Amino acid sequence: MAPPSRPQIEAVVTKPTYTFEYNSGSGYTAIADSSIISAEGSSESSAGGENGITFGATAPADAQIELDPQAASIAWDGTYVRGSYGFDTSDQLTRIAGVVTGRSRDGDGPIRWNVAGWHELVRRTAVYSPLIYRRPASTATTASSVEDPTRGSDRAGLVNYIFWQAGGRPYEQAGSYTSAVFYYSCEFSPITPEWSWVSGED
């Protein structure tokens, strides 16, 4: 009598995947896998820190991307970059996103991009606003809040206004602004100044 046959078991190994892209103004372009040597970043709480726009929330992450010398031709200063990780190229999450603020290289070695979070883009954007009267410094973003300052029903706070002018859009309305540079989410500020405005300050 023949022994019973054993079922065949196939091992399935899911490998992690990643994608790095840069945007110099005409949309995101993937950086070739062969050009990416490493990427690392860090994030810290802004409580007691110097980041004045996060109001105690988690500060934007800073990162460093190491590239092969063949990527030397990519324009870097102020370039938007994002790095996504996952276990399937169609199911990746963006983990690094921000603005390239510096580049370094030792001789003929790898190129290193220093990346700051979107707070750097906000810092670099010269924003001018009208005078705002008796409105909280920031107002809550919701799926229906009016953030666009060109709409007559806009009642957003000055912080919201600055984020909008820097290219951000409300996270709660991401489905309506799929091509936003970044997304922001605000709560009502306990501070309501008599008058507020911004005039190109850093």
Side-chain angles (χ1 to χ4, degrees):
M1 181 176 181
S5 60
R6 295 182 179 179
Q8 292 185 347
I9 300 176
E10 295 183 3
V12 178
V13 178
T14 302
K15 296 182 178 180
T17 59
Y18 63 88
T19 302
F20 278 84
E21 302 166 287
Y22 70 96
N23 184 342
S24 295
S26 58
Y28 280 95
T29 301
I31 301 173
D33 290 352
S34 59
S35 294
I36 302 166
I37 297 174
S38 67
E40 59 184 24
S42 63
S43 181
E44 60 184 20
S45 171
S46 66
E50 298 180 356
N51 190 341
I53 67 169
T54 55
F55 299 101
T58 300
D62 292 323
Q64 186 177 81
I65 301 174
E66 198 168 70
L67 303 170
D68 186 88
Q70 66 184 354
S73 61
I74 300 175
W76 61 271
D77 186 36
T79 294
Y80 307 158
V81 294
R82 64 187 181 192
S84 305
Y85 298 87
F87 287 93
D88 186 303
T89 53
S90 63
D91 190 28
Q92 294 181 341
L93 295 176
T94 300
R95 295 300 185 190
I96 293 175
V99 181
V100 180
T101 59
R103 185 180 76 165
S104 61
R105 186 179 183 186
D106 297 327
D108 295 330
I111 297 167
R112 298 179 188 87
W113 281 356
N114 293 323
V115 181
W118 294 119
H119 63 288
E120 175 66 15
L121 176 60
V122 175
R123 188 189 70 80
R124 291 183 176 205
T125 304
V127 177
Y128 297 84
S129 75
L131 285 172
I132 299 175
Y133 180 61
R134 289 188 180 177
R135 196 178 302 178
S138 66
T139 52
T141 48
T142 67
S144 59
S145 61
V146 179
E147 305 281 318
D148 185 349
T150 63
R151 294 176 59 181
S153 54
D154 163 48
R155 293 293 298 165
L158 185 62
V159 171
N160 307 55
Y161 180 90
I162 293 170
F163 288 160
W164 180 281
Q165 297 295 73
R169 296 296 181 263
Y171 174 77
E172 294 82 357
Q173 300 173 25
S176 300
Y177 300 105
T178 56
S179 59
V181 176
F182 66 93
Y183 296 99
Y184 63 89
S185 186
C186 296
E187 298 291 342
F188 277 108
S189 167
I191 301 172
T192 302
E194 188 79 0
W195 294 97
S196 59
W197 69 92
V198 62
S199 185
E201 296 91 345
D202 182 344

